[in-house]
Amino acid sequence: MPIRAGCLALALLIAAPPVVAAQDRDPAAEFLGRIVSSVRVEIESRPVTTADLLALVDVQPDEPLRREAIRSSVGRLAALGQYQDVVVVATPAATGVAIVFRLIPRHPIDVVEFTGDTGLPADELRRLLRVRYGGLPTTERLESVEEAVRRILADAGYLSGRASARTVETHEPDRATLIIDVAAGPVARIAEVAVTGVSPLTREEILSRTGVVVGGPYRPRDLQARVAGVGDTLRAEGYYEAATTVTGLRRDDGVAVTLFVSAGPKVDLRFAGDELPPGDRDDLVPIERYRSADDDLLEDARQRIRAGLARIGYRDANVTVQRIAAEDGSRLLITFTIARGRRYVIDRVELKPGAALPEHALREALRIQPGDPFSEAELAAATARIVQEYQRLGYYQVSATPEFQVVESGEQVDETRVIVAPNVTEGPRGTIRAIAFEFAGGASKVSEADLHAAMASRPAGPYVALTVAQDVRQLETFYRDQGYRSATATITPSFGNDGQDVTLAVRIDEGLLVLVGDIAVVGNQNVSAQSVLDVITLRPGLPFGMAAEAESRRRLVELGIFRQVRIIAPPLLPGETRANLVISVEESPASTFGFGGGLEVGRRATSTGDDQFEFAPRGFIEIGRRNLGGRNRSVNLFARVALKPRTTDESTGDGTGYSFNEYRVTGTLREQHAFHMDADLLASLTAEQAIRTSFNFIRRAADAELLRRLSPNVHLFGRYALDYTELFDEVIAPDEQPLIDRLFPQVRLSIVSTGILWDRRDNTLAATRGTLASADLEVAARSIGSEVGYIKLFLQGSAFKRLGESPRTVLATRAQLGLARGFERLVPVFDESGQPILGPDGNQLETPIEDLPASQRFFSGGGSSVRGFQVDRLGVPEVLSENGLSNGGNGLIVLNAELRTIIGRLFGRNFATVGFVDAGNVYAKAGDVDLSRIRAALGFGFRYDSPLGPLRLDFGFKTRRNRIGGTLERGWEYHLSIGEVF
């Protein structure tokens, strides 16, 4: 039943005979002006005490009853969208009139249950029903739902299936369960099969591919999909006009099935005459891509070829397409015949002398040079650019009629020279002499300085018609952001006698300033209303601006805890200046659970420098809970484990057997807008055990991070971490390890860090344009509980640029710089037996160390840095062991550049090639960073846009091979991974 907003059902519930209002009288007239003795809100006869809901009612006790108050109250309650009807009941009372707002709630369906003989599994029936309606059938008639279930059953072969639907309402919250009683009956059987049509497939092949068997179940939906698959297979083999259908005729003994498979002719595509224009042939003639050869597609292809030839100077090119069918109809030959004709080349560009714009500016706008191919389309575009440049400078009447003239070609018999001229008529140049404001209501409530700032047009600046039109929209937006929701603006230019002096008359009708009244939050269950109010920028008493409304909605959506967010402002009555807002939310499920598993396949470097494949079973589990304590606070537990060989070093094992558990367990607490700030708090506890190239480690850490959004693209963070790391199974011999690793195989770090991130990429997984820049600074100090101290800076920046209009070719670049320095510390010296070594004065000797622990040093090389090297194997000789294993260093530089080009599609997804240049190195000290010592690698790779993300295979080749421990490095490496390098 539709909402009857504003409808008053006035019942006189007193002992005396009821007073019945005449049909043509306003039933509220009996009570208007009386003092309201009480106001009550009921939902299905249950009194409502929720303050948020009561705040929507404008009718107040001890005040006269006003029609406007009743209408606004009903309008706000109805605008919630949660009630089927709003009924107002007025009862005379001893001291006036008692008002009751009776809310008849909607009972949206949130559960669908199936009973009886469902035939299909209930979960499958439920899924198919959701697919048919695009979700739960919350507003559909029961008869429609019953028919939908019968169709689903019939598609699955239950041709005599029946369904009966009913709803059971629930309360607190008001919902309904849709119960569908099903009698599926028996599955229909195939009694007879007929195969018609002409195709290269035999009857047996068609029956085998479609799975049709006499006596087997007749399932129309599956059968239609398999028959359509036969047609797809034929079209993939070049039968572009293939057609397939399946029909079923019910009989007493079952269903007679007829399969129609017509392949049509096999299509051959040929090109005759001159060459195609440059470009992808499939883009010009997408017959194979669309697997179709209809006339419209062929005509589009012909026009594409002709336009492509015109762009490179062949303006008279002739392209024809011809279809020739074989006599027996088995083949169809499609031939595109191309006659390029003479090539037109620009001989020179003639510009009128005395133009207002300098010649170099005109030629820069034209972007065409002598010797370029002549194209009428490009000449028109170049002329339009010149006109835009004139208009930008104030020539508001500028016009152009581009012309070209053919000249003698001389000795070039296959080439025609062309003289082009844009032929610009400049007209007067308009300059704004004044901007005059006029306000419909007299004096303005906004300063003219603010209005000038909102406009792009400026006194003494050029008059640009497009800018003036944009100023109208900017002024209206400015006012509406200030709370003047109905403001309108017009700008009328007036010109002097010479057409050069322009006055802009700006007329503004500001309307009324609308302020935010009460704000009610409804629909929330686990999240408190105060948490919602803390997030939004709308505040009672402040202007109800459109910008504040949009920002509030964005912040609520960004929380990620609501399925739906609506900010409702009921229509204001004439003269009303306060908007009582309703924020209606629908919460997402509070609990989340996920798990998965798989097999990790990768390479691991041994201490000898060789690689060995590893196969590691792995799995993960994740449990989360949102909206803790009624606030936007969540906890999450994530755990993953991989069973790996303990080592591939033959000195400690043979690399077989899953004796090493690589795991990570992280518990996270996240609160958005923590401490009533526009900042997010993230606290976590982590325990992990993992493998690095030259050592294994166990790590325990606790950290807290505060993330502040300075803008949608700029983020500032501060972090504190307490980290305990233990190294074991070190592959590098002790005498080749840094002293700090021998003295502190277990180390406690207390770290304070800060950083800033600027992200303007269009896609975080596979960017095609934009930039990413970040800076991280961290400090560990003994004064705050760290066993060793250091300072570390890491800078990185990436840029992505499309080459051309489409994102098919992207140039991606990245630079990374890491610098670190340890704080000097004196540590006692012990001999091999663990006894302290004493000095001449009898005191224990101490030695200074100023290195970083292994967990904090920089490593490089591998699929995510310099791809010509194994993982963690890149470094200057000072950081490498005899076998080429890296100890890491305090200085890092990495430079990457790659060209990504989409060359086609594979299984319906993009397939791309990549050419790249990588360079970089790891240095023992920050002061050792030297660009002359960087090592480079060239390579190529492939990308496939898989459902899991970009699947990446790269081959990197060192530009120079060094000898390490008397052995020449391997010249190349390959890397298989998911996700772009950067």
Side-chain angles (χ1 to χ4, degrees), residues 634-650:
S634 63
V635 293
N636 191 77
L637 176 66
F638 174 81
R640 63 172 170 83
V641 62
L643 305 180
K644 291 191 172 186
R646 186 174 186 85
T647 179
T648 55
D649 184 5
E650 293 184 357

Side-chain angles (χ1 to χ4, degrees), residues 652-707:
T652 55
D654 59 4
T656 61
Y658 297 107
S659 59
F660 186 89
N661 294 331
E662 186 176 67
Y663 64 84
R664 180 184 178 92
V665 180
T666 300
T668 304
L669 169 67
R670 182 185 182 94
E671 181 174 353
Q672 291 184 283
H673 301 281
F675 312 118
H676 303 287
M677 298 167 51
D678 188 16
D680 297 344
L681 174 66
L682 183 68
S684 63
L685 297 173
T686 300
E688 67 175 321
Q689 178 172 279
I691 297 173
R692 290 297 295 263
T693 303
S694 56
F695 58 84
N696 300 334
F697 68 90
I698 294 175
R699 177 174 171 265
R700 306 288 185 267
D703 62 81
E705 177 179 330
L706 197 65
L707 177 68

